[in-house]
């Protein structure tokens, strides 16, 4: 299968942010996305910047192509502000996390009149219906399709960093799961979900996609739900590791990290270097550790099996990437990762709010609503 990789300016970025809607009075999820979408699209110059998702309780905000993280976050802030204003008369509020603290999956509505979503649920059934989860996807432009697979392989070494810092799904249907990111392990139950295979070259990617299409597993590349994947139509590498991120500042920090890592890898290829890739079994273990322990995860750092606390790794990684961030104009956003170490990840803040309120998860929802609003 010949898969064309679109031309894309290197290091350009785009962000997709999935946002659940909750009822103002109860804090439970509410199926008001169709009405919110209709209202907000009248407010926007480009109505395609806000789209529907699998469930009628969710809207997705999509940026245009940006050269800088600051440009992307400013656009996100403006669009989300309009969504909040459109949702307010409908008694709906926006929040974001990887899962809702107490909502029940079997009470949610599938978006109607969507062949794509109907087909997905028909095939995946019980597991597909349970996908009451949200994430943030970051695209970074790559100037040569032959770089896409080596950079994807190298980026797998940073899955635990991204997973731990964005972990925001400690609760599932009212239960404290004991995981920082329950979403991470839920999502990989879908066909083609989870970690991608480590491939040698673009031709191997084409072969995998061809085999999956031929056997009816997918209809096309868009049906690959890998945590990191090439996005040929956009000419990007797409990071899908992150849980739903609770604040705009944290979205900026994670976007800066992904942009810098992809850019650094591209630069190394241009310099004639071979990018490092970690053993698949180490990558799997690292993802599990980050999902389970979050910011307290001891992760495997190299092929020799050395281990280190993920927050110490990220602190040093920020220092290493600082020259790249200076060139890209995202130093402030990248260094917010150190602030996240000090303040804790979203899952930690949610657990603290629940404890402070005697286990009342409605207080967690209002905390998430307030965090998002105040960060814009």
């Amino acid at each position: 299968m010949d898969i064309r990789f679109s031309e894309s300016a290197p290091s350009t970025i785009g962000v997709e942010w999935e946002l659940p809607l909750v009822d103002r009075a109860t804090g439970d999820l509410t199926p008001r996305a169709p009405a919110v979408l209709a209202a907000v699209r009248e407010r926007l110059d480009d109505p395609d910047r806000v789209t529907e998702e699998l469930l009628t309780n969710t809207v997705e905000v999509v940026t245009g192509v940006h050269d800088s993280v600051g440009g992307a976050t400013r656009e996100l802030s403006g669009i989300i502000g309009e969504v909040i204003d459109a949702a307010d008369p409908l008694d709906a509020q926006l929040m974001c996390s990887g899962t809702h603290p107490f909502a029940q999956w079997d009470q949610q509505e599938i978006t109607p009149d969507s062949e794509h979503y109907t087909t997905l649920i028909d095939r995946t059934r019980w597991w597909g219906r349970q996908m009451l989860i949200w994430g943030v996807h970051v695209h970074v432009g790559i100037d040569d399709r032959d770089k896409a697979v080596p950079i994807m392989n190298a980026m797998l070494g940073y899955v635990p960093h991204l997973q731990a810092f964005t972990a925001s799904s400690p609760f599932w249907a009212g239960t404290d799961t004991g995981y920082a990111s329950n979403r991470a392990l839920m999502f990989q139950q879908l066909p083609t979900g989870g970690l991608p295979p480590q491939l040698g070259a673009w031709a191997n990617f084409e072969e995998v996609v061809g085999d999956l299409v031929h056997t009816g597993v997918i209809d096309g590349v868009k049906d690959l739900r890998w945590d990191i994947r090439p996005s040929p139509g956009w000419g990007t590498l797409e990071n899908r590791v992150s849980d739903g991120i609770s604040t705009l500042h944290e979205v900026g920090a994670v976007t800066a990290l992904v942009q810098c890592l992809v850019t650094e890898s591209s630069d190394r290829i241009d310099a004639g270097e071979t990018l490092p890739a970690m053993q698949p079994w180490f990558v799997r273990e690292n993802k599990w550790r980050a999902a389970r322990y979050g910011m307290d995860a001891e992760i495997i750092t190299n092929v020799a099996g050395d281990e280190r606390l993920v927050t110490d790794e990220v602190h040093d990684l920020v220092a290493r990437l600082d020259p790249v961030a200076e060139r890209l104009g995202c130093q402030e956003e990248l260094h917010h990762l150190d602030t996240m170490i000090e303040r804790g990840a979203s899952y930690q803040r949610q657990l603290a709010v629940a404890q402070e309120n005697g286990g009342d998860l409605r207080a967690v929802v209002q905390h998430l609503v307030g965090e998002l609003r105040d960060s814009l």
Side-chain angles (χ1 to χ4, degrees):
M1 173 175 283
D2 181 26
I3 301 176
R4 180 179 176 273
F5 192 80
S6 298
E7 293 183 6
S8 182
S11 301
T12 49
I13 53 174
V15 180
E16 302 165 359
W17 193 353
E18 298 168 351
L19 297 158
L21 290 159
V22 296
D23 182 81
R24 184 189 310 279
T26 67
D28 203 351
L29 290 170
T30 181
R32 295 170 199 163
V36 171
L37 285 168
V40 77
R41 283 171 173 165
E42 295 180 357
R43 300 166 173 260
L44 299 175
D45 293 334
D46 184 352
D48 291 335
R49 290 288 172 252
V50 184
T51 66
E52 65 184 19
E53 257 294 329
L54 171 65
L55 301 173
T56 58
N57 57 40
T58 303
V59 297
E60 182 177 49
V61 174
V62 182
T63 72
V65 179
H66 289 272
D67 294 319
S68 71
V69 176
T73 55
R74 284 191 293 274
E75 184 181 15
L76 286 169
S77 179
I79 297 171
I80 293 171
E82 294 289 355
V83 176
I84 289 174
D85 289 346
D88 186 64
L90 300 168
D91 288 328
Q93 297 177 306
L94 281 185
M95 54 158 268
C96 193
S97 57
T99 57
H100 186 279
F102 61 83
Q104 302 297 313
W105 63 268
D106 58 352
Q107 296 176 10
Q108 310 308 314
E109 297 178 2
I110 305 296
T111 295
D113 303 322
S114 170
E115 183 179 355
H116 175 67
Y117 294 139
T118 299
T119 300
L120 170 65
I121 295 301
D122 183 61
R123 182 162 194 256
T124 58
R125 305 298 290 179
W126 191 78
W127 275 113
R129 282 290 285 121
Q130 288 207 74
M131 291 299 116
L132 195 60
I133 55 177
W134 299 275
V136 173
H137 305 161
V138 178
H139 291 259
V140 181
I142 297 176
D143 59 350
D144 183 347
R145 78 172 193 177
D146 290 334
K147 293 181 177 180
V149 169
I151 295 176
M152 179 180 75
N153 292 340
M155 286 292 291
L156 291 174
Y158 300 100
V159 164
H161 309 64
L162 294 161
Q163 190 74 78
F165 273 65
T166 64
S168 63
S169 49
F171 301 107
W172 176 253
T175 298
D176 180 349
T177 65
Y179 280 76
S181 174
N182 191 56
R183 168 194 169 273
L185 304 185
M186 288 284 299
F187 193 50
Q188 66 187 20
Q189 305 308 315
L190 290 183
T192 76
L195 296 165
Q198 293 191 26
L199 307 170
W202 186 258
N204 303 117
F205 175 69
E206 292 177 325
E207 182 180 10
V208 168
V209 173
D211 287 345
L212 293 173
V213 170
H214 177 71
T215 55
V217 178
I218 61 175
D219 291 328
V221 175
K222 62 180 175 58
D223 294 324
L224 292 176
R225 297 180 178 88
W226 296 342
D227 293 336
I228 302 173
R229 69 180 184 185
S231 187
W234 297 109
T236 64
L237 189 71
E238 181 183 2
N239 167 65
R240 301 162 54 87
V241 174
S242 302
D243 270 14
I245 301 176
S246 300
T247 71
L248 183 66
H249 307 305
E250 291 169 316
V251 169
V254 171
T255 301
L257 177 59
V258 174
Q259 184 189 33
C260 288
L261 285 170
V262 172
T263 299
E264 181 191 56
S265 294
S266 180
D267 290 346
R268 293 178 67 178
I269 292 174
D270 290 341
E273 297 183 40
T274 299
L275 298 180
M278 195 177 290
Q279 299 95 313
W281 47 95
F282 281 2
V283 173
R284 286 196 301 270
E285 174 65 14
N286 270 344
K287 178 181 176 180
W288 184 86
R289 291 185 187 186
R292 170 64 179 88
Y293 300 108
M295 301 286 252
D296 295 319
E298 294 274 348
I299 64 169
I300 304 164
T301 60
N302 53 39
V303 295
D306 296 325
E307 298 171 282
R308 197 172 181 219
L309 185 65
V310 68
T311 49
D312 291 340
E313 273 290 293
V314 169
H315 176 73
D316 288 353
L317 183 59
V318 168
R320 189 188 92 199
L321 293 172
D322 189 67
V324 180
E326 182 179 17
R327 193 173 93 219
L328 296 173
C330 63
Q331 278 181 300
E332 181 180 351
E333 291 89 353
L334 182 69
H335 282 270
H336 188 72
L337 291 165
D338 282 329
T339 302
M340 292 170 68
I341 295 173
E342 297 172 6
R343 295 180 180 174
S346 177
Y347 78 92
Q348 294 170 312
R349 303 193 299 270
Q350 290 178 53
L351 289 168
V353 170
Q355 185 175 21
E356 291 165 3
N357 288 273
D360 185 354
L361 298 183
R362 292 172 299 179
V364 177
V365 171
Q366 287 310 304
H367 157 77
L368 290 166
V369 169
E371 270 203 334
L372 176 62
R373 182 188 60 241
D374 294 344
S375 73
L376 299 178

